[in-house]
Amino acid sequence: MCRAKYMAAIYEDNRAICKYVHSTSRGHEAIQLATAFQLREYDFVSPYYRDESLIMGMGFTPYEQMLQLLAKGNDIFTAGREYYSHPNYKGSGKPTIIHQSSATGMQAIPTTGIAQGLQYKASQHLPVQKDAVVVCSLGDASITEGEVSEAFQFAVLKQLPIIYLVQDNNWGISVTSNEARAMNAFEFAAGFKGMNCVQVDGSDFEASYITMKNVVESVRNERKPWLVHAQVPLLGHHTSGVRKEFYRTEDDLANHQQNDPHPKLRQHLLNKGVTEDELIHIEQEAKALIETDFAKAVAAPEPDPLTVTEHVFAPTPVTEEKGERSPAGAPKVIMVDAALFAIREIMEQHPEAVLYGQDVGKRLGGVFREAATLGEQFGENRVFNTAIQEAYVVGSTVGMSALGLKPIVEVQFADYIYPGFNQLVTEVSKSCYLSAGKFPVSMILRVPTGAYGGGGPYHSGSVESTVLSIKGLKVAYPSNAADMKGLMKAAYYDPNPVVMLEHKGLYWSKVPGTEDAKTPEPSADYILPFGKANQILLADEQKINNGETCVVITYGMGVYWAKAAAQQFPGQVEIVDLRTLFPLDEALIYASVKRHGKCLVLTEEQQNNSFAEALAGRISKHCFQWLDAPVEVLGALNLPAVPMNMGLEQAMLPNATKTALRLGSLIKG
C-alpha cells in the first residue's frame, strides 16, 4: 500500500514526464492486494485499468509497471503500445494475464472464455490444472454494459470457475451511481440464477483478505461462479487527464478520504502491536524504492520506431498448397459440405477444436445444415448451441485461444455480425499486436454472407469492407468447394483470427449458373494458403497482344457473374478469383492488369467506399503506366439494405448481364 501511495504521488509530482493518460489504484488498494495474494501461478486474471495494486500484489515490480506508464521500449507487457495497468503476461511464477482493452466491461467476455476453456479441457481430459481459477476485475459502472450481462449469463448457465471482482467507488468518470444505475453489482447479479454473491468493505484489508480467501477456495473446490462486490473510495483522479477537481465537490472528496485503506491498515497494525518505528521504516523503504524505480524508468530507452509494424500477426506454418485438390474418382461436393467435411476431419484429429454458435448443435446442425451430424459425432461438449449472444460467441474465443484451444464459431448471417463487433475490433484483432505477440487469437469465425432469392434486408448483406477495415484479421471468401475445404484447413492451422465469408447462394449451387461451385472433394490433407488468388479463366494470347482483352478481379458470387458474362467475349477475358481478401495476392493482380491494360473489379457489395473501390485505387497507382483505360468497378447500387422483393433485389445487385455490358464498353474502349 505504501508503494501504491508513493507511486501515485510521484506520478502527480511529475505530470510533464508522466504524459500518457493513466489511472492509479488509490482507494482500491486493499481489495486488490487481498485478491492478488490468493492467486497461484496457474490461475488467470484480467485486471482493469485501475488495478496497479493487483498487478503489484501478483509480483510485478513498480519499475516494470512504470515502464508501461511511460510507454518505454522495454515495457515487458506491450513494448510501449498500451496504457498503464494494461498488462499481459505469459510465463512462469505468476498468473497468466491475457490482453484486454480499456473498453469498459469488454474484458468480461474474453475472461469468461478462459473459464469456459478450463471447463472444456477438464471435460475432455486434456492437460489442465483442475483447481485453476479465473478472476475478472471490473468497475461497478461497467455492469450496465450489455456484454457484461452476456458474460454473466454464460457463466451461470455453464457454471464456470470464475470470480467477477467488482470495485464500486460510486463513480463512472463524472457520473454518479445514482445517475446511472438502478442497482449496484451485487443487486444486479442476484438476477442471474446460479451466481454466488458477496459484499465486502473493500477499504478494509483484513475483511477483504478473508472474503477473497473464502471465495477463491470455493471456486477451486466447487467450480462455480462468484461475484464479489467491493465498496471502495476513489481517492485519485479518474485519470490523469480527467481530474477530480473538474467535477467532484469538497464534501464528496472528504467523505471518500475517510475510507482511505492506507491509514486504516496502518492503525490496524498499530493496534496489533506493530511499532511506529517499524511502520516508518516500511514507509521510508517504499518511498526510496519508488524514487529509484521511477528514475530508472525515466532513463529507460524509448521503443525503436522500426518495431512499430511487428506482431500484427503470428507467423503461420501454412505457406504452400499441399495435398490433392482433385483426387482421381472423388465425387463432387457442394460448398456447404466441403466446409462440413473439413471441420469433421479437423475435429477427428484435434481434440482442442471446438465448434459453437447459434443453432449449430445436433438438434439442427446449423440453419444452413453447415454443421449437420457434427453434434452427434463429437458430443455436446464439443459442438453446442449458444444463446443469441454474438458478442459472447466472438469474444470468448480470446480466452479459449489463450488456453491452447481452437474455437470455430459462427454468426448465422453476415447482417448479425455487428453485435459482435466490439469484441472483434477491440479484443480479437488487437490482441497479438498489443501483447507484443504473446496472445494471438487463434479462431475461425464463419459468416454466411450475400444475397439471393428474397432473403431481405437482414439476411442478405455483404460485410467484407466492414470486416476488412479491422486490422489484425485475415479474411477468406471461397467461391467453390475445393477452395472452401483448403482454406478452412489453412484457417485452422493459422494462429491468427480468421473470418470465413461464405456465400449462401453458393452453398448448394442452387442459384442458376453456379454449378461450378461443386468440385471433387479434395483429400484430407489438402490445404490452400491464404494470399494466393486463382486464374480461373485465361484470355487468348493473340488477343492480349492486340489489346482486345480485359481482366476481371472478383470473388464469391462475382466469379459466376464474370464467367457467364465472359461467354459473350471468347478469348477476351481473364478472370482472377481472389479467394482471400486479406492477405491479398497483389502480385498476381498487378501482373494480370499489366498484361491486359484494362481491368474490372467486380463485387456484390454496395459500390461506394467499398473494398472493391479501394482495390481499384491501389491497382491504378501500381499499374498506371500500363493502363489503357481507367480501372472500372461494378458493385451493387448504393442502397442501405437489400430489398425483400426479388425484382427489387435483382435491380440492386450486379449480375451476368450488367457485367457483360460493362465488359463490352471496357474492351471496346
Side-chain angles (χ1 to χ4, degrees), residues 15 128 135 160 204 214 221-222 258 261 331 371 443 445 449 612 641:
R15 288 172 61 185
V128 68
V135 175
L160 300 180
D204 183 327
N214 292 337
N221 296 324
E222 298 179 20
Q258 290 176 7
M443 59 88 86
L445 175 58
T449 190

Side-chain angles (χ1 to χ4, degrees), residues 52-166:
E52 64 181 354
S53 289
L54 175 61
I55 298 164
M56 189 159 38
M58 292 164 58
F60 294 99
T61 66
Y63 174 67
E64 289 170 327
Q65 294 178 268
M66 291 168 182
L67 290 173
Q68 187 174 53
L69 171 87
L70 301 174
K72 294 293 188 170
N74 50 352
D75 158 28
I76 67 164
F77 303 125
T78 70
R81 299 175 182 191
E82 260 285 21
Y83 293 100
Y84 183 57
S85 286
H86 285 63
N88 60 82
Y89 181 76
K90 186 178 185 180
S92 61
K94 301 179 183 68
T96 297
I97 309 172
I98 62 170
H99 173 264
Q100 66 276 323
S101 70
S102 281
T104 304
M106 295 304 99
Q107 71 270 37
I109 286 177
T111 311
T112 305
I114 299 174
Q116 178 187 346
L118 289 174
Q119 186 183 75
Y120 171 75
K121 292 184 83 170
S123 75
Q124 299 299 302
H125 307 291
L126 297 172
V128 68
Q129 186 68 42
K130 295 248 170 67
D131 66 341
V133 302
V134 182
V135 175
C136 179
S137 181
L138 299 156
D140 195 64
S142 70
I143 303 303
T144 55
E145 283 281 4
E147 295 187 14
V148 175
S149 294
E150 290 194 21
F152 286 2
Q153 182 73 244
F154 198 91
V156 297
L157 177 68
K158 301 294 185 179
Q159 288 293 281
L160 300 180
I162 186 168
I163 300 163
Y164 299 102
L165 170 62
V166 180

Side-chain angles (χ1 to χ4, degrees), residues 460-478:
S460 306
S462 294
V463 296
E464 53 264 36
S465 292
T466 309
V467 173
L468 286 163
S469 70
I470 308 169
K471 312 311 172 191
L473 302 178
K474 296 187 178 182
V475 182
Y477 202 138

